[in-house]
Amino acid sequence: MTTDARVAGAAPGLTLRSGNQMVVEGALRAGCRFFSGYPITPASEIYREMTLRLQARGDVALGAPDEISALCYCIGASQRGVKAMTATSGPGWALMVEAFQYALMAETPVVVVLVQRLGPSTGGATQGGQGDVLLAEFATSGGYTVPVFAPSTPVECFTLAMAAFSWSEALRTPVVLLSDKEVAMTYEAVDLAGLPEVPVHSRPPATAEGYRPVQFATPDEVPPFAPLTGPLKVTVTGSAHNKDGWLRKNDAETLEVLRHLEAKIAARAQDMAMVVPDLQDDAEALVLGYGITSRAAREAMRLGRAAGRRLSFLGLLTLFPVPVEAIREAARTARRVVVAEENLSGLYRRVLAGALPDREWHGVNKLGSMIRPSEILEAL
């Protein structure tokens, strides 16, 4: 597959691009200068594109001997002050978890693109699925919130890749961009000249005055960043530590640092909430979707409304922190809330039911093939 396929007979500017390629486009636009990965379907295209494009402009892309090394290389680059990203699928993500937790504890910005395929284990490499949503969010011990964004189109792959870098940098935390095989590998017409402008945040820089490696006045503040091998002495560890970065167990300051890791995320949950609403007044039912199932849900809305039904749809671009207020507002008049997702038992629906227990929840779930709009309509 070429990297710049034109749409035959289309208007100038339209180019065929996959979701994977648009993730790369967004990452580069956000300032990513380091990539490391280990090839795995359906994320391998990101590996290929990042390698070609970063090396062509003099930045760094490294093939790693395994997924553990890939993420560790990215963490090292980030601790030198460089924006870094890796990409994998479910089996590779399982190997990355320890390093990912280290990044969370060490407040190291890094973006992990997790392209879902059918699981568990090595599952079906070329078969789609949405079974990693909880594996992505709850892979870390301790109950800390990992920001997780889920695109459903190539353009959303671009914008959410940029958002992932922005929040990772602004909060000094690892972020997961959760794609799926169908979104990642489907080629669609994209107007590259018309892509939206997305602001990109940077990690706050440290100064010598009063510097401590983990410096904050209130728990939700993000500590200023000092790069390794820079002019300031940096102490960084994945073990529990105080504000000087020294290993400690359960003294008051160490516990304050641990609570701070969650507080800085929770304080910005509303700002991170991204949804695509298509709502009707007095809707009798609300459909929620993310990733590829959002697209079947949009078609189900069209068919249902044509038949006289009053229906609302909310596409979820932010999965975690859960966009509770947006969902609550969308479900204001709905008697039924239906969540469509390609996994066995409705993984994300379980989370929503806990967050909004006052709603009547129903699932449309499927393994081994995509959910059809008619199957969503039957559940309404």
Side-chain angles (χ1 to χ4, degrees):
M1 178 62 69
T2 63
T3 59
D4 193 19
R6 298 292 172 184
V7 182
L14 285 184
T15 302
L16 283 176
R17 289 280 170 153
S18 69
N20 277 340
Q21 288 180 324
M22 294 308 291
V23 166
V24 171
E25 203 70 43
L28 296 176
R29 189 79 67 91
C32 179
R33 297 188 58 207
F34 183 95
F35 177 88
S36 184
Y38 184 84
I40 183 170
T41 302
S44 295
E45 190 178 29
I46 297 174
Y47 176 105
R48 175 182 182 276
E49 294 277 326
M50 288 298 288
T51 300
L52 290 172
R53 297 185 64 177
L54 282 178
Q55 292 184 348
R57 69 183 199 184
D59 288 324
V60 179
L62 289 178
D66 53 60
E67 288 87 347
I68 300 171
S69 301
L71 182 52
C72 288
Y73 292 166
C74 290
I75 291 169
S78 180
Q79 290 180 347
R80 283 284 291 117
V82 176
K83 293 180 181 179
M85 181 177 83
T86 186
T88 190
S89 189
W93 169 248
L95 296 175
M96 289 180 176
V97 166
E98 183 178 7
F100 191 86
Q101 295 197 74
Y102 170 85
L104 189 153
M105 178 68 102
E107 302 195 63
T108 303
V110 66
V111 174
V112 178
V113 186
L114 174 52
V115 185
Q116 299 171 97
R117 67 189 201 187
L118 184 67
S121 187
T122 46
T126 57
Q127 178 61 58
Q130 293 180 312
D132 295 345
V133 58
L134 300 189
L135 186 64
E137 177 59 22
F138 299 117
T140 61
S141 61
Y144 295 94
T145 301
V146 174
V148 177
F149 304 120
S152 68
T153 67
V155 172
E156 288 176 1
C157 285
F158 169 81
T159 57
L160 293 192
M162 294 190 71
F165 271 98
S166 271
W167 284 113
S168 180
E169 292 287 318
L171 298 177
R172 289 190 56 187
T173 194
V175 170
V176 173
L177 182 60
L178 187 70
S179 182
D180 54 64
K181 179 256 178 184
E182 310 298 346
V183 170
M185 298 186 70
T186 301
Y187 278 72
E188 302 183 50
V190 176
D191 181 3
L192 294 178
L195 292 173
E197 294 292 330
V198 180
V200 179
H201 306 302
S202 297
R203 62 190 81 175
T207 60
E209 184 177 354
Y211 173 74
R212 298 179 77 184
V214 188
Q215 180 182 330
F216 57 85
T218 61
D220 62 343
E221 284 186 11
V222 179
F225 171 82
L228 293 177
T229 71
L232 299 176
K233 179 181 181 298
V234 177
T235 303
V236 60
T237 174
S239 297
H241 53 271
N242 62 17
K243 292 182 178 179
D244 291 314
W246 297 346
L247 270 65
R248 293 290 185 269
K249 192 169 69 174
N250 59 356
D251 61 85
E253 187 171 276
T254 298
L255 296 179
E256 183 185 7
V257 169
L258 291 173
R259 293 190 180 96
H260 142 80
L261 297 176
E262 175 64 13
K264 66 180 180 179
I265 307 293
R268 296 159 180 87
Q270 286 299 316
D271 296 331
M272 278 189 275
M274 293 180 286
V275 298
V276 181
D278 179 10
L279 309 180
Q280 284 193 321
D281 292 335
D282 303 324
E284 62 193 84
L286 168 69
V287 178
L288 302 177
Y290 60 91
I292 190 61
T293 57
S294 276
R295 305 181 68 156
R298 291 189 194 108
E299 177 62 9
M301 291 299 98
R302 189 187 68 79
L303 296 173
R305 290 169 180 172
R309 303 283 303 274
R310 297 200 65 77
L311 304 170
S312 285
F313 166 71
L314 193 67
L316 303 172
L317 304 183
T318 301
L319 299 185
F320 297 98
V322 177
V324 173
E325 294 308 317
I327 297 172
R328 190 184 301 280
E329 175 60 25
R332 188 168 47 83
T333 63
R335 289 181 292 107
R336 294 172 68 85
V337 182
V338 174
V339 185
E341 47 187 334
E342 283 183 38
N343 53 57
L344 185 64
S345 55
L347 299 176
Y348 193 58
R349 174 164 49 89
R350 293 185 201 171
V351 174
L352 297 179
L356 295 166
D358 55 340
R359 292 294 185 273
E360 180 185 337
W361 295 92
H362 300 270
V364 179
N365 302 102
K366 198 171 185 180
L367 287 179
S369 63
M370 288 190 288
I371 295 171
R372 296 193 302 272
S374 60
E375 293 171 314
I376 297 173
L377 273 177
E378 289 171 7
L380 293 173

